[in-house]
Amino acid sequence: MEIIGISGWSGNGKTTLLTRLIPALIKRGIKVSTIKHAHHKFDIDTPGKDSYRHREAGAEEVLISSSSRWALMHENHGSGEARLEYLIAKMTPVDILLVEGFKSEDFPKIEVWRRESGTEPRVTSDSNIIALATPDLSYSAPVPVLDLNDENAIAEFIVQFFKLEETTHGTAG
């Protein structure tokens, strides 16, 4: 399973790019999954529902399952944030795992950056950044500069970077 990050400072468009990039990769027959980093306490469960009550009662993990999907919630109970490697090991293997966030971790990343965000790109200080996705195509970077508004070009860059085999059958090489 190949792993690539979509990283950058908050407000630069990481999620927007991912929601366009996922279908562009799938269209090429690439199986895709994602991991999303959250910077705050979050909850995907609904107060009052049985699974929420199980978790609030102290269960280490609660797995909810239906005919449409299943979800596993794991409580850290003060043990700190799980390492990315641990989370990746929990994922079912696919052709490519897109990781949003985890910008300080050591794996290949495409940085999303907009000049108007008022932030500085990390591309010059992070050797794991393999490309910069920005609407400012004149920006000079030590890596390829990709058009943030062209998810097909970014998908093609990823396919070429990992030498993935495009198919029309829903799997890649």
Side-chain angles (χ1 to χ4, degrees), residues 106-173:
D106 186 23
F107 63 100
K109 301 176 205 84
I110 295 174
E111 181 177 13
V112 176
W113 179 72
R114 294 176 185 275
R115 185 178 303 275
E116 61 270 17
S117 71
T119 61
E120 287 297 318
R122 300 179 73 243
V123 66
T124 57
S125 61
D126 183 347
S127 62
N128 291 300
I129 294 173
I130 60 167
L132 181 69
T134 179
D136 185 357
L137 298 179
S138 65
Y139 185 82
S140 178
V143 296
V145 176
L146 307 173
D147 184 351
L148 179 58
N149 299 310
D150 188 351
E151 64 274 4
N152 289 309
I154 296 170
E156 185 59 28
F157 175 85
I158 292 169
V159 166
Q160 294 301 317
F161 181 83
F162 288 115
K163 297 175 178 55
L164 295 173
E165 193 175 304
E166 294 184 39
T167 71
T168 56
H169 306 295
T171 60

Side-chain angles (χ1 to χ4, degrees), residues 5 8 10-11 15 18-19 30 32 39 46 51 80 96 108 118 128 133 147 164:
S10 180
T15 301
L18 272 168
T19 59
I30 308 292
V32 179
H39 290 283
T46 306
S51 55
I96 188 145
N128 291 300
D147 184 351
L164 295 173

Side-chain angles (χ1 to χ4, degrees), residues 19-78:
T19 59
R20 294 187 346 253
L21 184 58
I22 293 166
L25 288 164
I26 291 170
K27 187 169 59 177
R28 289 169 166 75
I30 308 292
K31 286 187 177 181
V32 179
S33 288
T34 65
I35 292 180
K36 162 78 171 110
H37 183 263
H39 290 283
H40 43 76
K41 187 175 179 180
F42 68 94
D43 212 332
I44 61 168
D45 208 359
T46 306
K49 293 292 185 182
D50 293 347
S51 55
Y52 182 90
R53 293 173 63 201
H54 295 184
R55 201 167 41 84
E56 288 296 302
E60 293 287 321
E61 291 186 332
V62 176
L63 191 142
I64 306 168
S65 179
S66 75
S67 61
S68 300
R69 69 189 55 89
W70 64 269
L72 176 64
M73 291 175 287
H74 177 90
E75 289 295 312
N76 289 334
H77 292 296

